[in-house]
Amino acid sequence: MGQHRNAVSRSVVQLGLIWRTRGGRLVRLGVLMAVLMGASFTRGQETPPAVPAFPAVVELITVDAVVVDRDGRPVSGLTREDFAVSEDGKPQAIATFEAFDLRGPARAREVPRLPDPVATNVRKAPGAASSFVLLVDDVGLAPARAETVRAALARFLSEGLRDGDELIFATTSGSTWWTAHMPEGREDVLALAARVRGRSLLDNASDAISEWEAYRIVRFDAHGGDVGSTGMPALPPSDPGQPSASVPGVEMTQRVVDRYYQRRVCLPPDPPFPGTPVPACRSMVQSVDRAVFALSGVRGRKSLLLLTEGFLNDPDLDVAGEVAGRCREANIAIYALDVRGLVAGLSGADSAGAPNTAELGLMQMEQVDFAAAGSVELAEETGGLAIRDTNDIGGSAVRVGDESRVYYLLGYTPPPGKGPRDWRKLKVEVKRPGLTVRARKGYTLRTTAEILAADEARIASGAQRRGSSKAAPAIAEPPLPADMARALAGPHDAAAIPLRAMAYVFEERPGKTLRTVLTVEVDTGALSNLGGEERPRTSLSLSIAVMHRDTGQVRRVNQRIEVDAGGAGTWQGWLAVNREFDLPPGVVQARVIVRDEFLGRLGAVTARFVVPPATGLRVSTPILTPRTWRPRDGLPPRPVLVARREFEASGLLYCHFEVFGAAAPGGRSALEAAVELRGRDGEVVRREPRRSIEPTLDGRFIRFLSFPLDGLAEGDYELRLQVEDRATGEVQEDAEPLRLRGGAAPR
């Protein structure tokens, strides 16, 4: 299940569509469609956007700016005249200006929320919402500081987020990547935050040297050093953004060796030179890059909170500069929160022997300043802030959230004279005294087409590296298009194609998993019709990532779907697609992306559900549906899975459920079940009397019944199930919310 399903296969998809005949009469059809699942993703017939030639007409450059007062509080109410923008030292006219203050109460949802457990992208989020990334550098986090990070995360999640906010929560180790909407996603992220662990093995060890020492030894001491006029070896000139220092007495290599033998401060490992810390830095930068990729295209200011002990500003790590550039292009500000807080002592100090106080002081300065230079520069270059020297990490994170809700969008036309890849230095100032502006410091004029091409090249490169590994399958998997990969990783529910999704959990499978069917419905009104009225058809790409919250396991499905309706008419209604997964018990999140290969538009939705433990008396997810289908082998009708809990108040509503874990003394059933449909006030409007559930020929305990809906008023209802095993006395109850529309007037 963990591998993509690439083999060409044929499966049956049920379409519940309404077709309009040439005479205008509506005819409801239930059609069984044979759908061919292809192995590859292509761009279809979409024409790639043309790359504009520079210096032709260029779109406005948009810069988002945050303004704070002397106390660090965000400042609202400024106007265009309060700002000045310059590029390469030359003033620029501000062509567009927008001010945002999202601190007020969120607006009510414009579309009523559908009853759980249905997920949909049709609902519109509140207008006053923000996008955040919480990225924990657990690779570089000392285990002793994990509790501080967990407390800071819990405070930000409780106080720093508001209804409607979109969030990515991730760790640099790759153990966690979870998207959420507030407030419904807060509980899951709190559970993930509570399990954050530090993975750095060097913290508090008496046999460790600092990353800064290792970096300087490998990068500079190996090439020799000059002795300055003070008698101290002068370190080579620092790289841009890197602090400089002189080591008293000897070169750094000798300093570490002396410490090794004299045990003045700490005892390094064998050998005493552990090598460069680039892999840890690279994992963090790559995680930042993935978050930036996921949020590119989302309008407004996006804030990435990086909880880290910092990383070196290593010039060999060229990807850091590239990521900073992509942050600037996407208007994503990085806030680096130094989780070390107020460093009062050197964690690696050894009490054996008299300490060299001068060396201890220098090492502490290096540990606090030099080892964090990379994260500080990354924050400042993207218009964010490096927050250091405070033990109130949680409060600082909350203030970042408040600051990110008050910002200004300034637009201006880039002046001619430079090529699209040349660096342009940018400066935003505010004319009122006592105020500070945070904005990105520059940019390059890459076009949208160039950015898209670069994204797809990076995705293809990553797929090629995975395909060349020894563990890779014999047939390399083609990469997803960039827009689908971006939607799959991000929290935003794109609504160009309306979607609904719902999970049904059934019987136990080997490996202590349960068979789970994810039903996805696609609004055909948003799809291209490549066959016209005589034979409607379309071509779709489907991508699903099913993530288990508690284990981190991910199961994926990537498929091409060719839909051929096989009949005349202009298609309307919803196309239903079912996919099966074997999942362990726990909280699960399914990210679903559907892309129209001809139009290039896509829809995205996230379905959250719980897989129950396969123990004791248990009831499957009830199937509520207005439709059935009859197998060809003459068996009784079966329910059609739908991804909705909203139905017309007419005809029949079918209810199907199965009971597991029941005792069967003497091979006879001891199960009884009662079903009721209740209105909002609790009044029972339909009832199926309590009666026994007899086993089928294959020994299953299934109840299949129906309720007439005619005459019921429009509104919210609840279907209540009660199942009792008389042999053991166990009772299981379930309540399924649903809504009826178009019914009789309420009494």
Side-chain angles (χ1 to χ4, degrees):
M1 296 298 297
Q3 299 177 350
H4 295 347
R5 301 177 179 179
N6 290 322
V8 177
S9 61
R10 185 171 297 274
S11 63
V12 174
V13 176
Q14 294 180 339
L15 293 178
L17 305 177
I18 299 176
W19 302 88
R20 187 181 303 275
T21 65
R22 290 187 175 181
R25 185 169 60 91
L26 295 180
V27 181
R28 186 179 299 274
L29 300 178
V31 187
L32 291 178
M33 305 299 299
V35 178
L36 183 64
M37 303 302 177
S40 64
F41 285 88
T42 66
R43 304 294 297 183
Q45 302 181 38
E46 179 186 7
T47 303
V51 180
F54 190 87
V57 177
V58 180
E59 294 181 357
L60 290 177
I61 296 300
T62 302
V63 183
D64 65 270
V66 167
V67 181
V68 296
D69 61 18
R70 290 187 176 93
D71 297 323
R73 295 188 297 260
V75 177
S76 60
L78 300 180
T79 65
R80 183 197 310 249
E81 289 69 28
D82 292 315
F83 289 90
V85 177
S86 62
E87 182 175 303
D88 293 330
K90 298 179 181 179
Q92 304 297 321
I94 300 176
T96 61
F97 177 85
E98 292 182 89
F100 294 86
D101 188 345
L102 309 181
R103 293 174 296 183
R107 296 183 302 174
R109 295 181 182 271
E110 298 182 22
V111 178
R113 181 175 179 177
L114 293 180
D116 291 335
V118 179
T120 180
N121 61 355
V122 176
R123 298 189 302 265
K124 296 182 180 179
S130 301
S131 299
F132 294 94
V133 178
L134 273 179
L135 179 60
V136 180
D137 180 22
D138 59 338
V139 172
L141 179 65
R145 295 192 177 102
E147 181 57 38
T148 299
V149 172
R150 290 192 290 266
L153 292 171
R155 183 172 177 184
F156 177 77
L157 292 168
S158 300
E159 303 177 21
L161 295 176
R162 49 165 297 154
D163 292 1
D165 284 347
E166 297 178 339
L167 175 71
I168 296 175
F169 179 77
T171 57
T172 58
S173 65
S175 62
T176 302
W177 185 276
W178 191 267
T179 62
H181 294 82
M182 296 296 119
E184 56 267 29
R186 182 176 283 111
E187 177 185 349
D188 289 333
V189 183
L190 282 169
L192 290 167
R195 292 200 295 270
V196 167
R197 298 290 182 269
R199 298 172 182 264
S200 174
L201 301 180
L202 296 179
D203 186 76
N204 289 331
S206 62
D207 60 348
I209 66 174
S210 69
E211 288 189 348
W212 167 253
E213 289 175 326
Y215 167 73
R216 299 300 295 194
I217 289 171
V218 173
R219 184 167 178 81
F220 296 106
D221 284 9
H223 304 289
D226 298 328
V227 178
S229 59
T230 61
M232 303 178 185
L235 295 180
S238 299
D239 302 301
Q242 182 69 64
S244 59
S246 296
V247 178
V250 293
E251 64 180 6
M252 191 168 291
T253 304
Q254 188 61 46
R255 184 179 86 176
V256 173
V257 172
D258 288 345
R259 195 166 68 235
Y260 174 79
Y261 288 108
Q262 299 173 19
R263 298 178 59 84
R264 293 179 180 176
V265 179
C266 65
L267 183 66
D270 183 23
F273 313 125
T276 62
V278 167
C281 298
R282 191 172 298 276
S283 68
M284 178 163 54
V285 173
Q286 289 174 345
S287 298
V288 172
D289 190 27
R290 184 183 179 191
V292 171
F293 172 75
L295 291 181
S296 296
V298 177
R299 192 172 185 271
R301 185 176 178 88
K302 286 83 65 178
S303 301
L304 189 153
L305 283 71
L306 175 60
L307 285 79
T308 178
E309 294 190 18
F311 65 92
L312 294 169
N313 185 17
D314 188 347
D316 290 337
L317 197 63
D318 52 356
V319 68
E322 297 175 6
V323 170
R326 287 193 281 272
C327 286
R328 291 188 291 264
E329 290 174 338
N331 276 336
I332 296 178
I334 295 179
Y335 291 82
L337 283 75
D338 192 331
V339 300
R340 296 172 298 177
L342 294 171
V343 181
L346 197 61
S347 61
D350 193 310
S351 59
N356 184 329
T357 55
E359 188 173 352
L360 277 172
L362 178 62
M363 289 182 64
Q364 181 162 328
M365 179 184 68
E366 294 170 350
Q367 179 172 306
V368 174
D369 294 330
F370 301 156
S375 54
V376 170
E377 183 177 16
L378 185 61
E380 293 177 349
E381 285 295 321
T382 59
L385 180 67
I387 301 175
R388 309 168 62 194
D389 300 326
T390 176
N391 291 329
D392 187 13
I393 309 300
S396 299
V398 171
R399 287 189 289 274
V400 169
D402 293 339
E403 172 182 306
S404 301
R405 302 186 192 281
V406 182
Y407 62 94
Y408 303 87
L409 288 182
L410 314 175
Y412 73 96
T413 302
K418 285 190 174 182
R421 292 176 178 81
D422 292 335
W423 174 252
R424 294 166 176 252
K425 186 177 180 180
L426 179 64
K427 186 175 183 180
V428 180
E429 298 175 286
V430 65
K431 300 174 184 178
R432 296 189 187 184
L435 302 182
T436 302
V437 181
R438 285 199 268 275
R440 54 177 168 153
K441 295 185 177 181
Y443 68 96
T444 56
L445 274 178
R446 288 206 306 169
T447 65
T448 302
E450 288 176 315
I451 295 173
L452 179 62
D455 287 342
E456 294 194 337
R458 286 160 49 215
I459 294 172
S461 176
Q464 186 176 12
R465 288 195 300 269
R466 291 191 298 271
S468 61
S469 66
K470 295 181 180 180
I475 301 177
E477 176 188 326
L480 287 172
D483 54 352
M484 291 192 70
R486 178 177 290 110
L488 201 63
H492 186 65
D493 288 346
I497 299 178
L499 302 176
R500 297 193 295 243
M502 180 175 172
Y504 295 87
V505 183
F506 296 107
E507 73 275 9
E508 185 177 4
R509 288 285 182 85
K512 298 182 179 180
T513 61
L514 287 87
R515 182 174 72 93
T516 304
V517 177
L518 183 66
T519 298
V520 179
E521 291 188 340
V522 185
D523 185 355
T524 57
L527 303 179
S528 59
N529 181 359
L530 305 180
E533 291 187 0
E534 297 300 324
R535 193 179 182 89
R537 61 183 179 86
T538 193
S539 179
L540 304 176
S541 289
L542 171 68
S543 185
I544 303 175
V546 177
M547 294 160 280
H548 194 277
R549 189 193 71 184
D550 302 321
T551 65
Q553 296 178 354
V554 181
R555 291 167 170 81
R556 302 181 187 273
V557 169
N558 289 332
Q559 294 175 328
R560 176 73 169 267
I561 303 177
E562 304 293 338
V563 181
D564 189 341
T570 301
W571 61 348
Q572 299 177 7
W574 294 76
L575 162 68
V577 181
N578 299 321
R579 293 295 175 265
E580 283 193 9
F581 301 89
D582 292 342
L583 302 175
V587 176
V588 178
Q589 182 182 89
R591 183 70 172 164
V592 180
I593 313 297
V594 175
R595 184 178 190 273
D596 187 310
E597 285 298 302
F598 180 75
L599 297 177
R601 64 175 57 154
L602 59 80
V605 69
T606 301
R608 189 258 194 197
F609 55 95
V610 178
V611 178
T615 57
L617 189 67
R618 183 175 63 85
V619 179
S620 68
T621 305
I623 302 173
L624 303 181
T625 178
R627 300 171 50 228
T628 62
W629 66 283
R630 185 176 295 275
R632 294 180 179 178
D633 53 11
L635 293 175
R638 298 180 183 178
V640 174
L641 297 181
V642 295
R644 54 192 169 108
R645 282 290 191 259
E646 187 172 277
F647 309 100
E648 294 289 341
S650 62
L652 295 176
L653 177 65
Y654 297 94
C655 175
H656 177 284
F657 60 91
E658 186 171 357
V659 182
F660 307 97
R668 302 182 60 182
S669 170
L671 286 176
E672 288 185 348
V675 185
E676 294 178 343
L677 183 63
R678 299 183 180 183
R680 178 181 296 179
D681 56 0
E683 178 187 4
V684 177
V685 296
R686 298 288 187 270
R687 175 184 283 115
E688 174 73 12
R690 176 181 293 271
R691 59 188 178 90
S692 63
I693 303 178
E694 299 299 329
T696 61
L697 295 177
D698 54 358
R700 300 166 62 188
F701 295 96
I702 296 175
R703 171 62 58 86
F704 191 13
L705 54 98
S706 63
F707 288 120
L709 300 180
D710 298 281
L712 294 181
E714 184 175 79
D716 294 328
Y717 292 82
E718 187 177 68
L719 189 81
R720 298 188 65 88
L721 311 176
Q722 186 182 75
V723 177
E724 180 181 2
D725 188 343
R726 298 193 310 274
T728 63
E730 277 191 275
V731 176
Q732 278 290 327
E733 294 184 344
D734 191 9
E736 293 291 323
L738 60 98
R739 178 176 297 132
L740 299 182
R741 63 175 184 269
R747 292 178 292 176

